[in-house]
């Protein structure tokens, strides 16, 4: 028994950095619950051809694979080489990620349109100032018009850009620095519309279409730009218009946010359209009265992944965790319902829930999960549906088994909600004070750390270690997605974390009363980082590619991360990945992405699993760009 417990403790230490996560991982092992770590173990050894990207199942001439050691075969049945196979696979992956973010954006736009037309239930235009600012980018008349009239024209204009005939995205025209735009024009990668690039990507990977790996990878950059400066940016801005532009909020993170005596509801996924209405319905007197009748002291909402980030920024709703926490939350035995929309939701979630009393409630027509209760969520009946969903959660409260409940007791305080507008306002309305700090060397530069968790890396280790190392070197860190949640769990999203920053950054943070790691939102909100970089570049009269910036995705897993990393690199931001993408089977593709692209975008990809070495790479790049600027 002693040896078994020792093995469990060792296994838990391998899996996670955070102590509250460790508590529940240990419980999952003792309860006999399969999690992502167990499934990864069962997959070993993983397919070497797949890891290198040299396998192809594009058509039924195959599936084909290339010998990575130089033997036969060196071509697929159609004649595709490793360069072509790897490039097509990368474009396919990237297009999936761009489609995921952009389709999210489309849904937000549709709700904005329905709200402007008076056809939605419970929604309203919250930030009229942001509405007018975005409308100006689109050349939409503001004076003498109601906010509903402006919002309708804006929503229609944006929706048209998903498949426009005008061959352009307004945000590119209005927001991208001229020098950066000229770089894109030279490379012929200016995005023409959102859906156009994704559809063309799918066309190009069809056998017998694009067979030039360089041409394929250039289109990959254009597709990524249609996401970052198109679909994702629209999603962020229109969410702000509907629900309010984030302002600094204090809250708490980790699995300790679950309540022992309230109905616990986890909101998991990426779409704020659903979660915002659940928050409203959780305050409904009828629902609260029902909770009391069932023996609960109220409703406790907690976020998971990027739905959590959306709610945190605008409502201060606590976050239970990241991608790898979704099963662990259920394992606590204290979750009455997990409400899901789409993206980053494990198909296994209903299997895990079946081992406890938790109900899983799916809400999107494009994301159904066997074993879940499906309740379609539509804008016209949004509030009614939200109440029905919460009623299911409340009525499940008496089914909780106290003997199987384990809730950690050490929540971590956080400060979040640093939208681009808030940061600029705090600096007095322009980025000159920040520019002056960078010129003086008090802040060397900034790095955006983004992305997910991956069970191949100790949970949160990559994010937290890299962030700590960068701030020690006087490099400001801005974060989105699960990376922001990971650093929040580690205590880096509170002003007191400035104590471990370098002298210059520490002084700045203490003066402003902010953390050295700024939570900027969900994964679509990487667009906030782009906007901030663009405004700084414009104030300096340079391109984004000239700024002392870097990007990193230490624990990424998702196709969305490939798109994000690519639009950062295409915009001129050097980006370090902690896990190799599946391109290593082509020396030419690797060389293009990590070296030759520098001459095109003044940036590149790098792969470095060790976060300390990744910090060296990022600092070196920031110093290189500082020297080029003469600072």
């Amino acid at each position: 028994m002693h040896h078994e417990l020792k093995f469990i403790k060792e296994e838990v230490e391998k899996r996670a950095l955070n102590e509250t996560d460790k508590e529940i991982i240990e419980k999952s092992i003792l309860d006999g619950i399969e999690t992502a770590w167990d499934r990864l173990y069962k997959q070993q050894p993983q397919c070497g051809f797949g890891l290198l990207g040299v396998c192809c199942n594009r058509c039924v001439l195959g599936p084909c694979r290339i010998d990575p050691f130089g033997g036969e075969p060196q071509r697929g049945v159609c004649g595709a080489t490793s360069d072509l196979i790897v490039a097509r696979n990368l474009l396919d992956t990237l297009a999936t990620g761009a489609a995921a973010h952009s389709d999210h954006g489309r849904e937000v736009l549709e709700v904005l349109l329905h709200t402007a037309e008076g056809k939605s239930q419970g929604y309203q235009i919250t930030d009229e100032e942001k509405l007018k600012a975005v409308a100006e980018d689109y050349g939409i008349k503001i004076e003498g018009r109601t906010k509903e009239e402006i919002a309708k024209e804006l929503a229609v204009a944006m929706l048209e850009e998903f498949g426009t005939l005008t061959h352009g995205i307004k945000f590119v025209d209005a927001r991208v620095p001229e020098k950066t735009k000229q770089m894109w024009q030279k490379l012929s990668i200016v995005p023409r519309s959102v859906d156009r690039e994704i559809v063309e990507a799918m066309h190009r990977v069809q056998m017998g279409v694009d067979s030039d790996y360089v041409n394929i990878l250039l289109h990959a950059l254009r597709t990524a730009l249609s996401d970052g400066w198109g679909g994702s940016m629209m999603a962020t801005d229109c969410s702000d218009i509907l629900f309010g532009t984030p302002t600094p909020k204090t809250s708490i993170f980790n699995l300790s946010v679950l309540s022992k005596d309230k109905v616990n509801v986890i909101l998991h996924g990426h779409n704020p359209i659903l979660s915002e209405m659940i928050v409203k319905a959780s305050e409904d007197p009828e629902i609260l009265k029902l909770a009391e009748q069932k023996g609960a002291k109220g409703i406790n909402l907690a976020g998971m992944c990027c739905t959590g980030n959306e709610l945190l920024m605008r409502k201060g709703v606590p976050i239970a965790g990241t991608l790898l926490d979704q099963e662990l939350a259920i394992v606590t035995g204290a979750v009455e319902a997990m409400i899901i929309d789409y993206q980053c939701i494990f198909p296994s979630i209903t299997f895990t829930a079946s081992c406890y009393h938790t109900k899983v409630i799916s809400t999107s027509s494009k994301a159904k999960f066997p074993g879940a209760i499906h309740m379609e969520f539509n804008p016209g009946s949004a509030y009614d549906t939200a109440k029905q969903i919460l009623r299911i959660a409340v009525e499940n409260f008496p089914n909780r088994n106290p003997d199987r409940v384990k809730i950690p007791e050490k929540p971590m305080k956080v400060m979040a909600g640093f939208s681009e507008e808030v940061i600029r306002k705090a600096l007095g309305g322009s980025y000159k004070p920040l520019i002056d700090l960078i010129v003086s060397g008090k802040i060397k530069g900034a790095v955006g750390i983004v992305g997910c968790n991956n069970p191949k890396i100790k949970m949160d280790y990559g994010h937290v270690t890299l962030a700590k190392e960068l701030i020690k070197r006087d490099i400001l860190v801005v974060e989105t997605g699960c990376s922001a949640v990971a650093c929040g769990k580690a205590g880096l999203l509170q002003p007191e974390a400035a104590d471990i920053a370098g002298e210059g950054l520490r002084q700045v943070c203490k003066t402003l009363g902010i953390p050295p790691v700024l939570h900027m939102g969900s994964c679509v909100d990487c667009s906030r980082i782009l906007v901030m970089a663009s405004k700084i570049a414009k104030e300096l009269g340079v391109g984004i590619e000239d700024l002392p910036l870097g990007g990193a995705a230490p624990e990424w897993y998702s196709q969305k991360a490939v798109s994000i990393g690519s639009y950062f690199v295409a915009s001129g931001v050097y980006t370090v990945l902690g896990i190799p993408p599946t391109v290593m089977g082509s020396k030419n593709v690797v060389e293009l992405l990590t070296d030759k692209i520098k001459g095109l975008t003044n940036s590149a990809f790098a792969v470095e699993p060790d976060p300390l070495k990744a910090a060296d790479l990022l600092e070196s790049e920031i110093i290189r760009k500082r020297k080029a600027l003469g600072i």
Side-chain angles (χ1 to χ4, degrees), residues 104-123:
H104 168 169
R106 190 195 325 262
E107 287 201 12
V108 177
L109 292 175
E110 288 171 346
V111 173
L112 178 61
L113 177 59
H114 292 150
T115 302
E117 293 176 333
K119 296 177 181 177
S120 66
Q121 184 189 46
Y123 298 104

Side-chain angles (χ1 to χ4, degrees), residues 249-251 253 309 312 319 412-418 467 477-479 481 483-498 514-520:
K249 299 278 189 302
T250 55
S251 191
F253 274 16
N309 284 315
L312 167 73
I319 292 185
M412 181 64 71
K413 292 180 181 178
V414 299
M415 178 186 284
F418 290 94
V477 172
V478 294
E479 295 192 327
S483 181
V485 179
C487 286
K489 289 192 288 179
L492 298 180
L493 299 189
Q494 47 186 315
E496 292 80 3
I514 61 171
V517 178
L518 300 180
H519 181 299
M520 291 192 74

Side-chain angles (χ1 to χ4, degrees), residues 318-392:
I319 292 185
T322 59
L323 175 84
L324 290 178
D325 279 304
Q326 60 187 284
E327 294 171 304
L328 301 183
I330 293 173
V331 172
T332 65
V335 175
E336 275 63 58
M338 180 172 281
I339 305 171
I340 56 178
D341 44 67
Y342 48 58
Q343 297 177 23
C344 298
I345 299 156
F346 288 154
S348 64
I349 205 74
T350 51
F351 175 77
T352 306
S354 71
C355 300
Y356 299 89
H357 77 298
T358 305
K359 304 284 187 186
V360 177
I361 303 169
S362 58
T363 57
S364 172
S365 61
K366 67 187 71 174
K368 293 187 177 181
F369 295 76
I373 300 168
H374 188 73
M375 299 189 71
E376 201 81 18
F377 201 82
N378 297 300
S381 56
Y383 189 75
D384 291 341
T385 305
K387 282 182 66 176
Q388 291 171 17
I389 290 171
L390 285 179
R391 194 171 285 113
I392 292 172

Side-chain angles (χ1 to χ4, degrees), residues 66-384:
I66 303 299
D67 187 334
F69 304 107
E72 291 297 332
Q74 283 300 295
R75 290 183 180 271
V77 175
C78 74
T81 63
S82 59
D83 294 338
L84 177 55
I85 289 172
V86 167
R88 286 195 308 203
N89 286 346
L90 182 64
L91 178 55
D92 185 27
T93 297
L94 185 152
T96 300
H101 272 160
S102 297
D103 204 36
H104 168 169
R106 190 195 325 262
E107 287 201 12
V108 177
L109 292 175
E110 288 171 346
V111 173
L112 178 61
L113 177 59
H114 292 150
T115 302
E117 293 176 333
K119 296 177 181 177
S120 66
Q121 184 189 46
Y123 298 104
Q124 62 184 20
I125 295 165
T126 301
D127 193 336
E128 194 169 349
E129 184 180 338
K130 180 85 177 242
L131 169 65
K132 290 178 178 179
V134 177
E136 285 182 359
D137 285 340
Y138 273 75
I140 292 170
K141 181 185 173 185
I142 295 170
E143 289 186 17
R145 306 181 75 191
T146 66
K147 60 183 179 180
E148 288 77 17
E149 289 171 336
I150 299 169
K152 180 176 179 179
E153 186 173 347
L154 177 63
V156 169
M158 285 182 164
L159 285 167
E160 285 179 347
E161 287 187 359
F162 274 74
T164 182
L165 294 174
T166 58
H167 302 297
I169 294 174
K170 286 289 186 183
F171 282 151
V172 171
D173 295 334
R175 297 182 175 181
V176 179
E178 193 58 37
K179 188 170 182 286
T180 303
K181 208 181 304 178
Q182 288 172 4
M183 175 180 75
W184 296 350
Q185 289 166 348
K186 186 177 179 181
L187 296 172
S188 296
I189 60 171
V190 178
R192 297 161 294 182
S193 77
V194 178
D195 287 351
R196 168 71 184 271
E197 309 307 355
I198 294 166
V199 170
E200 188 169 308
M202 294 294 93
H203 184 188
R204 285 176 185 245
V205 300
Q206 155 75 31
M207 197 289 288
V209 185
D210 204 341
S211 296
D212 182 337
Y213 78 92
V214 176
N215 203 41
I216 288 171
L217 294 177
L218 284 173
H219 183 70
L221 295 182
R222 180 161 57 183
T223 304
L225 290 173
S226 78
D227 170 12
W229 293 92
S232 281
M233 197 167 283
M234 294 174 191
T236 292
D237 280 9
C238 290
S239 292
D240 286 353
I241 290 166
L242 279 169
F243 310 124
T245 301
T247 55
K249 299 278 189 302
T250 55
S251 191
I252 51 175
F253 274 16
N254 75 36
L255 293 168
S256 303
V257 305
L258 297 175
S259 172
K260 292 180 180 178
D261 50 21
K262 293 182 180 179
V263 177
N264 287 312
V265 177
I266 298 284
L267 293 150
H268 178 23
H270 285 74
N271 191 340
I273 299 300
L274 161 68
S275 54
E276 286 278 341
M277 204 52 59
I278 294 289
V279 173
K280 274 191 175 183
S282 70
E283 298 165 354
D284 190 288
E286 184 183 331
I287 294 297
L288 293 174
K289 184 178 179 181
L290 180 63
E292 186 180 345
Q293 291 171 354
K294 296 295 179 180
K297 292 185 179 179
I299 310 288
N300 181 49
L301 301 180
M304 184 72 65
C305 285
C306 281
T307 285
N309 284 315
E310 298 274 6
L311 291 175
L312 167 73
M313 292 190 300
R314 298 188 179 95
K315 308 291 185 185
V317 172
I319 292 185
T322 59
L323 175 84
L324 290 178
D325 279 304
Q326 60 187 284
E327 294 171 304
L328 301 183
I330 293 173
V331 172
T332 65
V335 175
E336 275 63 58
M338 180 172 281
I339 305 171
I340 56 178
D341 44 67
Y342 48 58
Q343 297 177 23
C344 298
I345 299 156
F346 288 154
S348 64
I349 205 74
T350 51
F351 175 77
T352 306
S354 71
C355 300
Y356 299 89
H357 77 298
T358 305
K359 304 284 187 186
V360 177
I361 303 169
S362 58
T363 57
S364 172
S365 61
K366 67 187 71 174
K368 293 187 177 181
F369 295 76
I373 300 168
H374 188 73
M375 299 189 71
E376 201 81 18
F377 201 82
N378 297 300
S381 56
Y383 189 75
D384 291 341

Side-chain angles (χ1 to χ4, degrees), residues 22 27 31 48 58 64 162 303 331 351-352 393 574 580 602 606 610 615:
K22 289 178 188 177
K27 183 176 187 292
D31 284 3
R58 302 253 153 250
C64 300
F162 274 74
V331 172
F351 175 77
T352 306
Y574 178 81
N602 198 27
D610 183 338

Side-chain angles (χ1 to χ4, degrees), residues 402-448:
D403 294 334
R404 300 194 70 195
V405 171
K406 182 178 179 63
I407 301 174
E409 296 181 349
K410 294 181 180 178
M412 181 64 71
K413 292 180 181 178
V414 299
M415 178 186 284
F418 290 94
S419 60
E420 184 276 327
E421 290 86 347
V422 159
I423 295 171
R424 184 160 35 90
K425 187 176 180 180
L427 293 169
S430 86
Y431 283 102
K432 188 178 184 306
L434 178 60
I435 292 168
D436 290 344
L437 288 167
I438 293 172
V439 170
S440 72
K442 284 190 175 182
I443 295 177
K444 290 179 184 174
V447 170

